[in-house]
Amino acid sequence: MSGRARTEQWLRRTWQHRGWFASLLWPLSVVYRALVALRRTAYRRGWITARSLPVPVIVVGNVIAGGAGKTPLTLWLVQHARQRGWRPGVISRGHGRRAEGVCAVGADSDPADVGDEPLLIHRRTGVPVWVAPSRHSAGRSLLQAHPEVDLLICDDGLQHLALARDLEICVFDGRGIGNGWLLPAGPLREPWPRAVDLCLQARPSGDAGRTIAQAHALQRQLVDWAQTADGSRVALAELAATPVTAVAGIAQPDRFFDELRSRGLTLVRTQAWPDHHPYDDWDLPEGPVVCTEKDAVKLWRRHPSVLAVPLDLRPDNAFVEALDRHLDRLRAAARSL
């Protein structure tokens, strides 16, 4: 495990409790809270104006630092919207990318230019995906290039108040709100509770996790197969007989390793990297290597034999029913224009 990954893991553990270190940072979180409140007030009173787009916009995000399942939920939403007759597109900042300005994501895009998560979304779904620091600029460019798109899903945009939205979905993982304090004393990007249209939470993790009262249940688990860059699949049950190396450059790599072990895989070696790790100088070890889908979009450029295990996400029925009511509302509003 890299030094940065160990630091991130330690912070996540620290942020689950109001211990001495978190208490030491609490005064800074009070300043942070004031700045967040000032910014929201500026938008609410019209001192700063959020910009709208000509089609409905769904924003997917979270209020807790670190991966909580935003991108897997975005993938699910794209597929569900298609089933309901929509033609969706996705906009994102493209966290960690080196390119500037507005950029379309293609199947052969360099993840360093467009971001690993937008590239994963485009490859998995095939829908138009555009990235830019300004989500409004990304959406406007996407709609100009793809006028057939009638719904935009913004991946990780809950705090991006510059973009007007028609539906907000907040997702939590098993940590809940952690110790309930804002950064840097806790994991919260903004105070909770806050008004959102829909909320989802994966099963709380042990005694540390807090259940979000208004959240719908979210089941997330690895599928029972892995695939290489050419689409060839192998069942995880077949891999159980062979020791494998597992690598993960995500917010919570240990969770991925534990899920692999729960499927019967023998991990002779694990390599945990910080979220969005580029793998530029990584050397392929001997034997089978298993990774997440997000890691695969970077690793497959040099190591197509690496095995990626997708994540299957399933919201509860009540969430799906509530979402469909919102989608029907958005369609009716769009038709009335």
Side-chain angles (χ1 to χ4, degrees), residues 54-58 76-89 125 127-128 143 147-153 166-167 323-337:
V55 301
V57 174
I58 299 176
W76 183 90
L77 284 169
V78 168
Q79 300 294 358
H80 185 75
R82 278 173 155 176
Q83 293 172 3
R84 297 281 298 180
W86 294 87
R87 296 181 297 274
T125 66
V127 302
L143 293 173
E148 76 280 3
V149 168
D150 58 5
L151 177 70
L152 287 175
I153 300 173
D166 300 278
L167 182 66
L323 173 64
D324 286 345
R325 289 193 294 271
H326 282 291
L327 290 175
D328 290 342
R329 170 182 60 83
L330 294 178
R331 191 183 297 279
R335 288 173 174 170
S336 67
L337 296 178

Side-chain angles (χ1 to χ4, degrees), residues 63-78:
V63 297
I64 190 169
K70 299 180 297 294
T71 298
L73 180 58
T74 298
L75 289 166
W76 183 90
L77 284 169
V78 168

Side-chain angles (χ1 to χ4, degrees), residues 27 50 93 126 142 169 171 179 183 197 199 265 269-270 288 303 318:
R93 176 187 177 186
L142 187 154
I169 303 177
V171 59
N179 62 16
L183 294 167
D197 297 291
C199 184
L265 271 65
R269 185 184 182 190
T270 60
H303 309 291

Side-chain angles (χ1 to χ4, degrees), residues 16-31:
Q16 290 302 112
H17 307 282
R18 296 184 176 183
W20 69 268
F21 185 76
S23 298
L24 187 66
L25 296 176
W26 180 78
L28 295 177
S29 73
V30 175
V31 176

